[in-house]
Amino acid sequence: MRHVLASAGLALLVATRAVAAQELNIDWSRTAVPSGVVRPGEGPGGTPVLELRATAAGPTSLHLVTIDHPPIAGPGYVVAGQVRYQGVEGQGYLEMWTVFPDGQRFFSRTRAAQGPLAALHGESSWRRFELPFDLSGASQAPSRLEINLVLPGRGTVWLSPIHLQPSAGPAGTTYGGWWSERVGTLVGTILGSVLGVVGAIIGVLGGRGRARRVVLTLLVGMIAVGGGLVLLGAAAASIAQPRHVWYPLLAIGGAAGVIGLVILPAMRRRFAADELRRIEALDAGVRS
């Protein structure tokens, strides 16, 4: 029994250390920050806060901290904390750049209309913010994280200590978005590639006056699918989904719908003219 308890205790200790290795706290009083002023004891619960001011009328980007070789494991992670702001002009936001060893960079930003991903605008008392990222499908761990504050104009922002921690699930579902920014980039790339291939097929076949049924079916399909994507994107925007969710749907769907609506009448006229020429040629052959 004693050996069993010892083994269980050792397993619990290892598990605790494994969890702790996936979490990191950034205390501003112990971190060298290139921008801002540390205010001891002025945060929630008496924690130190980082005060950042933008006094210029134009955009200001303030680098907060770089986390090299972040202790990340699991399908996703989130940088979270408390933020307070006053007199923020326009739509400011916190951002996290996830940088991979091969040089790829992906960002997460607080640009939603509400919730922990809400943009910084006007004035707010202390509220929670979150910068999530989904690692599902990634073949390597990030080499560093870069945390910034971006303000389009004047304003003052206070940040509590921030925490890097594993997320309970994919960032896109856990933190209010249908999918993460990484997946949003993939969705836009796939939809754009499909639209390009379909457009090339229509251009080649239609330009030669061949496969009338195929060309017209593809064009009608582009209009229908494009309209569906636009409606889905509009619905996502109306319920305050992040920009990386609704923007690819609206952009690709709108492009597909417009292209289909413009080209469909022209292709119908082209095929009708070709059919008329064939009929006239047949009539001329019969008469001769």
Side-chain angles (χ1 to χ4, degrees):
M1 184 69 178
R2 187 175 301 172
H3 292 294
V4 173
L5 290 175
S7 300
L10 180 60
L12 180 60
L13 177 60
V14 171
T16 303
R17 287 183 177 178
V19 172
Q22 299 176 38
E23 298 183 358
L24 179 67
N25 297 324
I26 303 296
D27 186 336
W28 301 119
S29 64
R30 302 175 182 177
T31 305
V33 182
S35 306
V37 178
V38 177
R39 304 291 186 187
E42 295 187 10
T47 57
V49 300
L50 179 63
E51 179 182 296
L52 303 127
R53 291 182 180 272
T55 57
T60 301
S61 180
L62 301 171
H63 178 62
L64 306 181
V65 66
T66 297
I67 304 174
D68 290 313
H69 307 294
I72 293 170
Y77 58 91
V78 59
V79 168
Q82 298 284 326
V83 62
R84 179 170 73 91
Y85 43 92
Q86 185 175 16
V88 174
E89 301 173 348
Q91 298 288 320
Y93 55 88
L94 292 157
E95 71 175 3
M96 173 179 66
W97 283 94
T98 296
V99 184
F100 288 89
D102 60 3
Q104 293 191 83
R105 297 168 59 89
F106 300 91
F107 61 79
S108 304
R109 291 172 174 167
T110 58
R111 304 199 71 171
Q114 56 187 358
L117 289 171
L120 313 182
H121 173 70
E123 183 175 347
S124 173
S125 56
W126 288 107
R127 68 168 180 84
R128 181 175 173 83
F129 75 88
E130 294 172 351
L131 291 166
F133 194 80
D134 182 11
L135 280 174
S136 300
S139 59
Q140 52 190 341
S143 58
R144 71 177 184 274
L145 307 178
E146 300 171 1
I147 315 298
N148 304 313
L149 169 68
V150 179
L151 297 175
R154 299 180 181 89
T156 305
V157 176
W158 293 268
L159 286 175
S160 73
I162 62 176
H163 314 282
L164 169 65
Q165 57 197 42
S167 60
T173 56
T174 304
Y175 299 98
W178 292 348
W179 51 70
S180 67
E181 293 197 46
R182 189 184 182 94
V183 175
T185 301
L186 183 62
V187 168
T189 301
I190 292 175
L191 292 177
S193 300
V194 171
L195 178 60
V197 171
V198 172
I201 294 173
I202 292 172
V204 171
L205 296 178
R208 297 178 179 178
R210 298 179 180 177
R212 175 180 181 274
R213 180 174 297 179
V214 172
V215 171
L216 296 183
T217 299
L218 287 175
L219 285 169
V220 172
M222 282 179 61
I223 297 171
V225 173
L229 290 176
V230 168
L231 291 176
L232 185 61
S238 68
I239 60 174
Q241 286 290 309
R243 186 176 187 273
H244 62 262
V245 172
W246 56 260
Y247 181 78
L249 301 175
L250 288 180
I252 304 299
V258 170
I259 291 172
L261 289 171
V262 170
I263 296 179
L264 181 59
M267 282 296 159
R268 282 177 172 167
R269 290 193 297 268
R270 167 66 187 273
F271 285 120
D274 290 345
E275 185 68 21
L276 181 59
R277 282 194 295 269
R278 281 193 290 268
I279 293 174
E280 290 175 346
L282 289 175
D283 289 342
V286 171
R287 290 173 187 171
S288 60

